[in-house]
Amino acid sequence: MKGNKLFGLFGLFAAMAVGVASAEDYPSKPITLVVPFSAGGPTDTVARLIAQPMGAYLRQQVVIENVGGAGGTLAAGKVARSAPDGYTIFLHHIGHSTAPSLYRKLAYNSIDDFEPVGLVTDVPMTMVARKDFPARDVKEMIAYVKANKDKVTYANAGLGSASHLCGMLFMTAIQADLTTVPYKGTGPAMNDLLGGQVDLMCDQTTNTTSQIKGGKIRAYAVTTKTRVASLPDLPTLNESGLAGFEIGVWHGIYAPKGTPKAVVDKLTQALAFALKDANVKQRFADLGTEPVSDKEVTPLALRTKLKTEIEKWSPIIKKAGVYAD
Ligand code: ASP
């Protein structure tokens, strides 16, 4: 018994020593940044923009791994089970706070299984449709959708994605239950919208801006309380008859639980560095968003945001009666 205890203590000290040593040399090999949706979509775009300057700061490559499926929960489960050594990190968005209410069973805990690194950005969404959708503005679009609810299809990135959440709020607001078509990310969903295979989608400006500006899809409104500077002609849904409609897609970076604090601190510094990068700021602005302020690039700010958002969305999702087993 005594021997076991001693051995346990020895193991603990040894693990701590390894943790300290590896934190000092960290990073000594490339870091994988897991993105919980397909390549070419909005989360992937944000990840690829910040990966480069984060890598420059850390003097190691930050490589993106896209793990789409189940609205981001497959990737979250995979990261939760990864070694807590700083070589696997995770960029997720608002979906990390809605999944605990949407899924009856999750293979991980959104709070307890992760070490928050810092907030990244808050991206507005846009309500868009295939180019020849027969409605010119929000009013016509809502009227058409309500009159044709058995025919109209709505694309999303699965239960737990931002496009799912926005669609759920929209359908609740207009009292129409549309047929949803789930994808592994809104990158592939956008391809089908461009091809006219699906009708409607609510997606982040990081994925829709260039298609809207190029006239490839129809855009009706933004989902934020105020208009978006890069898309000034688009009204808000709030001002277009859906009073109180508001959703912004906040993003954060996490590491698996147990990642040494010194490693998390380095990652936070790298993230703060990336968010000050001139190219990142410019591309974010072109795509309708901006980096969060310096004081939000902290583990505490992300932890607080995650907890607040879990509490915010839980009753709304319960009321909507949406869940998966
Ligand atoms: N952000 C997801 C993506 O990157 C889509 C979503 O959350 O709706 O594809």
Side-chain angles (χ1 to χ4, degrees), residues 35-45 66 71 92-95 125 154-158 160-165 183-189 201-204 206-207 249 251:
V35 170
F37 299 102
S38 317
T43 316
D44 184 67
T45 297
N66 298 90
H92 200 358
H93 61 33
I94 190 168
M125 301 187 87
Y154 177 87
N156 71 23
S161 64
S163 43
H164 164 263
L165 184 64
Y183 296 80
K184 284 189 174 171
T186 48
M201 175 161 75
C202 177
D203 195 20
Q204 296 158 66
T206 33
N207 200 34
V249 185
H251 293 61

Side-chain angles (χ1 to χ4, degrees), residues 92-133:
H92 200 358
H93 61 33
I94 190 168
H96 204 46
S97 71
T98 57
S101 304
L102 288 166
Y103 286 81
R104 287 205 165 131
K105 273 184 245 136
L106 271 186
Y108 61 90
N109 182 297
S110 285
I111 297 175
D112 297 345
D113 290 341
F114 298 87
E115 302 286 351
V117 171
L119 281 157
V120 179
T121 180
D122 198 339
V123 185
M125 301 187 87
T126 44
M127 187 59 78
V128 295
R130 62 179 159 82
K131 197 179 168 199
D132 51 358
F133 195 68

Side-chain angles (χ1 to χ4, degrees), residues 226-275:
T226 52
R227 290 190 180 207
V228 173
S230 55
L231 295 165
D233 299 335
L234 282 189
T236 66
L237 282 174
N238 180 56
E239 77 186 66
S240 310
L242 301 185
F245 198 104
E246 187 181 12
I247 174 175
V249 185
W250 58 273
H251 293 61
I253 290 191
Y254 306 82
K257 185 75 182 177
T259 305
K261 183 175 178 307
V263 169
V264 172
D265 287 346
K266 266 195 193 165
L267 289 166
T268 303
Q269 287 155 15
L271 175 60
F273 175 84
L275 295 180

Side-chain angles (χ1 to χ4, degrees), residues 25-99:
D25 320 328
Y26 175 82
S28 57
K29 60 178 186 185
I31 296 164
T32 300
L33 175 57
V34 175
V35 170
F37 299 102
S38 317
T43 316
D44 184 67
T45 297
V46 169
R48 283 175 203 273
L49 280 171
I50 59 172
Q52 201 276 332
M54 278 185 80
Y57 183 89
L58 295 164
R59 295 171 188 262
Q60 277 294 342
Q61 241 193 313
V62 176
V63 184
I64 308 294
E65 185 185 349
N66 298 90
V67 183
T73 60
L74 279 185
K78 180 180 157 125
V79 173
R81 292 187 300 274
S82 298
D85 56 8
Y87 293 102
T88 303
I89 57 174
F90 186 37
L91 173 71
H92 200 358
H93 61 33
I94 190 168
H96 204 46
S97 71
T98 57

